[in-house]
Amino acid sequence: MDLGLIFSELNNNSEYRFHLAKQEPGGTRPIDVLARSHEEWAGWQVYRGTKKERFVKDKIVSFAQISGSKFLFGGIFDITSRDSKHYEVKLSSHFSELIGRLTIDYQGDNTRGM
């Protein structure tokens, strides 16, 4: 199914940025964080990056890697403030009923940092 059919308003590139969280080699699996704690998962959305701002939009649509190209929907986060290293985020209630229930098979560039 085309993700645009479910999230048609998310096609607004001026407002939304997609975050496909992936495991660092030897690191914590994103799917474990999402399953363990909403607060810990929100913490995965706040790192701005060292070279450039990662989320230049106002909303983050997040997914946690299950394995390979499979990802589980982790919610939509509103960026409420920014500083030089972090974001402050708040989980939106928009599509919250699909958190942990919607999976996608992402067929694009599937490398870390994409």
Side-chain angles (χ1 to χ4, degrees):
M1 172 179 279
D2 181 354
L3 194 59
L5 295 175
I6 299 171
F7 296 124
S8 60
E9 71 259 30
L10 302 186
N11 286 330
N12 181 351
N13 288 334
S14 66
E15 192 172 3
Y16 295 96
R17 168 75 186 231
F18 282 75
H19 175 209
L20 302 179
K22 297 180 176 188
Q23 180 178 0
E24 291 183 22
T28 305
R29 293 181 338 144
I31 191 70
D32 293 338
V33 175
L34 178 59
R36 186 168 44 234
S37 161
H38 288 293
E39 291 78 24
E40 188 178 1
W41 178 244
W44 278 50
Q45 315 308 314
V46 302
Y47 177 65
R48 183 175 163 142
T50 56
K51 296 181 180 167
K52 65 177 182 175
E53 186 172 353
R54 296 172 64 206
F55 301 119
V56 296
K57 313 300 181 187
D58 294 329
K59 299 178 185 295
I60 303 166
V61 182
S62 70
F63 289 85
Q65 185 178 36
I66 299 169
S67 67
S69 63
K70 301 283 187 203
F71 292 83
L72 185 65
F73 180 59
I76 297 175
F77 291 86
D78 296 316
I79 297 176
T80 58
S81 68
R82 304 164 190 268
D83 67 31
S84 63
K85 295 184 181 178
H86 296 89
Y87 303 105
E88 293 289 327
V89 297
K90 180 181 177 193
L91 181 63
S92 171
S93 61
H94 204 58
F95 295 114
S96 62
E97 68 278 5
L98 295 176
I99 295 173
R101 304 174 99 189
L102 173 72
T103 61
I104 62 169
D105 185 6
Y106 180 72
Q107 295 298 312
D109 178 14
N110 203 12
T111 59
R112 279 194 43 76
M114 48 135 191

